[in-house]
Amino acid sequence: MFLYAAWIEKKKDNVSVVWVITRLLTAVIFNQKNLPDRIEDLDETLTHHCTREKRLQWVKRINTVVKPRFVRRIIENRLNKDSPIHEKVILSFDEELSYSKTYEKDFPFRQQWSNWYGNHASEPLKIFVPGSGSHSKFEAISEQWGNYDYKGLEEVKEIISYAEAEGRKIRAIGSGHALTPIAQSEDFIVCTHNLNLTQRKAEQFIKPEFLNGFDVDVNFRNVKSKEKHFLFETSGGTKVHQLITALEKDGLALMNKGGSSIQAISGAIATSTHGSGIGLGPLPGMVKSMTLVGKGSKAYRVEPTNGITDPELFLADPEVQKHDIQLIQDDDTFNAVMVGVGSMGLVFSLIVEVQKSYKLYEERVIWEWETLKAKMLEGDLYIFINSNRNFEVLINPYIDETEENPSRKCLLTTRDYAESCEVPPIAKRERNYLSSFVSGISISGRLSPWVFNRNSQNIPRMTNNSLARLEDHAKKGGGFEDVSYKVLDQGLGELKFYGYAIEFGFEIEKAFEAVDVITKVCEEAKAYGHYLAAPFSLRYVKHCPGYFSMMNKSDMCMIEVVSVKGVTGTISLMKRIEAELLEIGAVPHWGLSLLPWSKEMVERAFPHYEDWKRHQAIFGGETFTNPFIKNILD
């Protein structure tokens, strides 16, 4: 009888989901006025009548239904009625935006490259694919992870020698994540996705005091303590999600990460990618040793003055001698190459500081921005921000004037070690159900700009609704608990490939002025129908000694302004925001910027510009430049 009742309940849940999705699709195609109500119904159904496994099954079913071209054409024809040509929906197959583009080692035809947004592209003379690893079969070759890829190292050296003999320049590419032309090259491109063979605990040549873990001072939640950290060696072309997989096999985890895991680890480090948490630095701050190949095909292992490598062990090794790898242990040199923006040579391998695998508990609470701002400023700002291990704020650029008591809304996200929190029994193992469901649907990214373009005047209200859906804490929803990388990841799925952003750093006290600038520019643009289609974020990051890190000056508040590809007016609006933020002293992000860069701008933003430039001439030289880099050097 019990099994029969369970079977009946399961059938009822399936019928409920079918009915709600049918009504939603009907609203999308025939009656958009009912769309908000249908979305509410879907959110409620996914929350109370659908398990994680069932949601994934429904994503697959919907993707199967909308895959045939004729189905997409039916949806297109209905949605594009009365739309201007530049806002028409084109539901072509989305494979090109849903995976990291790879290149074959000996591809016989001419090739093209572009960043994932598509605003920068090139047709290089040749794309090289060195390395003994495998992007597509990464886990299948896990038995080889303990080996160092000396064969790949020699391949890289040969490529550089060939380029210099031909008088060509080189840029290395990972995931093409940057919005700037930082990786663009019309000469030679080195695709690094097979430079991912080495994934191992760092033991070879390591000083005894670092071999089995070492104590580090931390300050989370305003409590100073010590944690035991470890060293892990990874190849430079490894994607962040691949590194997470390799670490997990050894019971280890990254100390922090950005919101996405698709980047190559060396690309993320080269642009000072970061997460949130004033007690946690950006990714380059986790690097303890970097092996790179620079101009003249010279290989270097670069570390701080008191580095982790035992010089005697290293220099006595036959392989090191055979491949002529020079050990440099010097703070000035290390700080210069740490954030090399692809111009110090090709980063071949890294040793990074990691910690034992851990869980995080996340809470997201809706605030009125002015109330939260006053709370942050009433005492010591640093202490308030450091009350949690991770602290970040999402702010609606607009005030929804249709509210009874209009005010600017924001969402405060905090995360702490789960073991240090009273995690309620109802805490979920997945973030917002609706966003995780929609982000898996293949056509969702193409449909998003249509929704915003057709209802641009409602964006202030839609943004508030989005923040409300994300609210999830101990007293409402239970919060979100899981292993660290799942909590730190944005979980945007397919939608990640349809968003873009600009980002800037400010000293933490000055960030409030920057918020006022952003909201002012957004308010002015409303009169012309130009809107940002997403909230912007404040993330607080610890100082980093890397000369070209955005956090080099001090602890910083990184402000990321986000929108959706295809929403009319947002590119122009974001350029105006960028210009005004630079006027008040913003430090631009190497990969997230729309305006042209200049030497003068970089000199103002990065105090150690001359030191970095001096080392670039030594390690990368002309070989590792492109027009973007030349523009900031000359």
Side-chain angles (χ1 to χ4, degrees):
M1 190 67 182
F2 173 78
L3 292 175
Y4 178 73
W7 181 80
I8 291 293
E9 191 63 32
K10 181 178 179 181
K11 287 294 183 183
K12 286 170 63 179
D13 287 347
N14 275 333
V15 170
S16 178
V17 176
V18 171
W19 174 240
V20 170
I21 290 176
T22 301
R23 295 181 75 194
L24 176 65
L25 292 175
T26 301
V28 168
I29 299 174
F30 299 110
N31 188 0
Q32 287 91 30
K33 290 182 180 179
N34 290 335
L35 196 56
D37 292 337
R38 300 292 80 83
I39 291 174
E40 292 284 354
D41 292 343
L42 181 61
D43 196 18
E44 196 277 337
T45 303
L46 293 174
T47 302
H48 300 293
H49 302 285
C50 203
T51 64
R52 173 187 283 194
E53 290 72 22
K54 284 294 180 184
R55 283 192 294 276
L56 293 176
Q57 288 176 16
W58 275 107
V59 166
K60 290 180 180 178
R61 289 169 185 168
I62 292 174
N63 284 339
T64 300
V65 170
V66 301
K67 186 173 183 179
R69 189 172 294 273
F70 79 90
V71 174
R72 297 186 177 213
R73 289 292 177 262
I74 291 172
I75 299 174
E76 279 181 15
N77 291 337
R78 177 60 187 170
L79 296 183
N80 287 335
K81 186 179 180 181
D82 302 324
S83 292
I85 190 168
H86 63 281
E87 292 182 356
K88 288 186 181 295
V89 177
I90 302 175
L91 300 179
S92 58
F93 292 120
D94 293 335
E95 281 87 348
E96 76 277 6
L97 291 180
S98 61
Y99 68 94
S100 180
K101 186 172 183 179
T102 58
Y103 297 88
E104 296 178 25
K105 203 172 189 95
D106 296 307
F107 193 69
F109 305 105
R110 295 170 294 175
Q111 298 192 78
Q112 294 180 325
W113 171 88
S114 72
N115 61 345
W116 73 341
Y117 183 77
N119 62 322
H120 296 293
S122 60
E123 296 174 343
L125 297 173
K126 188 171 178 60
I127 295 180
F128 297 88
V129 189
S132 306
S134 173
H135 174 76
S136 60
K137 299 177 181 178
F138 177 70
E139 291 188 66
I141 63 168
S142 60
E143 291 184 0
Q144 302 176 45
W145 286 355
N147 301 323
Y148 196 81
D149 189 9
Y150 286 109
K151 180 176 179 291
L153 181 65
E154 286 304 314
E155 286 184 74
V156 170
K157 286 186 171 186
E158 289 172 7
I159 292 167
I160 295 171
S161 294
Y162 176 62
E164 291 179 333
E166 293 286 311
R168 304 299 180 186
K169 294 178 172 56
I170 295 175
R171 300 303 285 176
I173 59 168
S175 298
H177 194 262
L179 201 61
T180 60
I182 195 168
Q184 192 168 348
S185 175
E186 306 304 331
D187 284 357
F188 292 163
I189 281 178
V190 177
C191 174
T192 62
H193 68 248
N194 283 347
L195 291 174
N196 64 353
L197 178 68
T198 305
Q199 312 293 334
R200 63 187 185 182
K201 290 181 179 178
E203 297 174 341
Q204 192 176 23
F205 316 129
I206 302 300
K207 293 176 180 177
E209 58 265 36
F210 296 105
L211 267 178
N212 299 308
F214 51 97
D215 289 339
V216 296
D217 295 319
V218 297
N219 181 8
F220 302 137
R221 304 177 78 174
N222 298 307
V223 176
K224 294 181 179 179
S225 62
K226 291 186 181 295
E227 288 185 350
K228 192 170 187 178
H229 288 185
F230 303 86
L231 297 175
F232 193 86
E233 189 168 20
T234 184
S235 293
T238 306
K239 306 297 186 187
V240 173
H241 66 86
Q242 293 173 336
L243 176 56
I244 289 169
T245 298
L247 286 169
E248 200 168 28
K249 288 182 181 295
D250 283 319
L252 300 170
L254 293 172
M255 295 184 289
N256 206 7
K257 62 181 288 294
S260 172
S261 300
I262 68 166
Q263 291 170 278
I265 185 64
S266 57
I269 288 165
T271 54
S272 200
T273 296
H274 59 90
S276 72
I278 200 70
L280 295 160
L283 264 62
M286 303 175 194
V287 177
K288 298 302 173 186
S289 181
M290 178 182 290
T291 298
L292 56 85
V293 186
K295 71 176 188 179
S297 297
K298 181 63 181 171
Y300 304 90
R301 178 160 166 146
V302 187
E303 300 177 358
T305 300
N306 297 313
I308 59 173
T309 297
D310 184 318
E312 290 187 17
L313 291 176
F314 184 79
L315 296 174
D317 184 76
E319 290 287 357
V320 170
Q321 295 172 3
K322 176 182 176 181
H323 298 283
D324 191 22
I325 306 172
Q326 180 182 345
L327 176 64
I328 300 176
Q329 293 180 314
D330 174 71
D331 287 341
D332 180 45
T333 304
F334 184 69
N335 291 338
V337 304
M338 187 192 300
V339 181
V341 294
S343 303
M344 292 287 182
L346 189 145
V347 176
F348 187 77
S349 66
L350 302 152
I351 296 178
V352 294
E353 180 182 341
V354 297
Q355 64 184 101
K356 286 184 178 179
S357 181
Y358 59 98
K359 287 186 176 182
L360 289 172
Y361 175 58
E362 175 186 88
E363 293 188 277
R364 290 179 156 180
V365 181
I366 293 287
W367 285 72
E368 292 184 355
W369 166 242
E370 291 301 327
T371 303
L372 178 60
K373 176 181 173 181
K375 186 78 173 173
M376 294 172 73
L377 291 172
E378 70 181 11
D380 187 303
L381 178 58
Y382 182 94
I383 290 176
F384 188 90
I385 295 168
N386 196 38
S387 296
N388 304 92
R389 186 180 188 270
N390 303 101
F391 179 101
E392 58 193 69
V393 186
L394 279 175
I395 303 175
N396 189 341
Y398 309 101
I399 295 173
D400 178 12
E401 300 295 345
T402 66
E403 289 184 322
E404 186 175 343
N405 297 301
S407 63
R408 190 179 313 283
K409 300 299 189 296
C410 67
L411 184 77
L412 172 61
T413 298
T414 57
R415 306 182 190 98
D416 291 294
Y417 289 129
E419 63 185 22
S420 68
C421 302
E422 293 185 12
V423 180
I426 60 171
K428 296 186 290 293
R429 292 294 298 275
E430 186 170 324
R431 201 176 274 120
N432 176 264
Y433 294 128
L434 182 62
S435 62
S436 63
F437 179 81
V438 173
S439 65
I441 298 173
S442 59
I443 64 172
S444 58
R446 299 284 188 185
L447 290 175
S448 297
W450 178 86
V451 173
F452 293 122
N453 284 328
R454 290 295 291 265
N455 302 278
S456 59
Q457 72 281 0
N458 293 327
I459 284 177
R461 177 174 55 82
M462 288 191 285
T463 303
N464 270 359
N465 290 344
S466 296
L467 295 178
R469 292 184 198 288
L470 292 172
E471 187 172 29
D472 186 14
H473 51 89
K475 296 180 180 179
K476 181 180 179 181
F480 174 38
E481 179 198 19
D482 212 330
V483 292
S484 58
Y485 66 88
K486 291 185 178 180
V487 179
L488 294 170
D489 199 273
Q490 289 177 341
L492 291 175
E494 301 288 331
L495 291 178
K496 175 69 179 176
F497 297 91
Y498 294 91
Y500 64 99
I502 55 176
E503 188 173 31
F504 306 90
F506 291 91
E507 294 179 12
I508 59 175
E509 295 83 3
K510 195 176 177 65
F512 300 104
E513 179 185 351
V515 170
D516 291 340
V517 169
I518 294 169
T519 56
K520 174 185 72 71
V521 176
C522 288
E523 193 63 30
E524 291 170 351
K526 276 174 57 178
Y528 303 93
H530 287 190
Y531 289 84
L532 287 180
F536 62 94
S537 67
L538 313 184
R539 288 181 289 173
Y540 295 85
V541 189
K542 185 180 178 180
H543 166 260
C544 174
Y547 290 159
F548 265 13
S549 170
M550 293 83 71
M551 303 86 193
N552 177 259
K553 290 181 178 179
S554 64
D555 298 337
M556 297 291 272
C557 174
M558 298 301 297
I559 302 182
E560 186 176 31
V561 182
V562 182
S563 196
V564 177
K565 185 177 182 180
V567 177
T568 301
T570 53
I571 288 284
S572 297
L573 175 54
M574 291 173 84
K575 286 181 177 179
R576 285 193 290 273
I577 290 172
E578 180 168 345
E580 297 220 16
L581 291 179
L582 290 172
E583 282 292 318
I584 63 169
V587 178
H589 188 295
W590 287 102
L592 300 176
S593 171
L594 288 168
L595 294 180
W597 286 46
S598 67
K599 176 183 177 181
E600 293 71 27
M601 182 178 80
V602 176
E603 284 180 312
R604 285 196 304 270
F606 300 95
H608 289 279
Y609 168 82
E610 290 295 339
D611 296 316
W612 186 92
K613 182 178 178 180
R614 172 168 47 86
H615 284 90
Q616 195 282 327
I618 296 170
F619 289 94
E622 286 288 320
T623 304
F624 287 91
T625 62
N626 67 358
F628 177 82
I629 297 299
K630 291 290 288 182
N631 200 44
I632 67 171
L633 289 176
D634 298 336

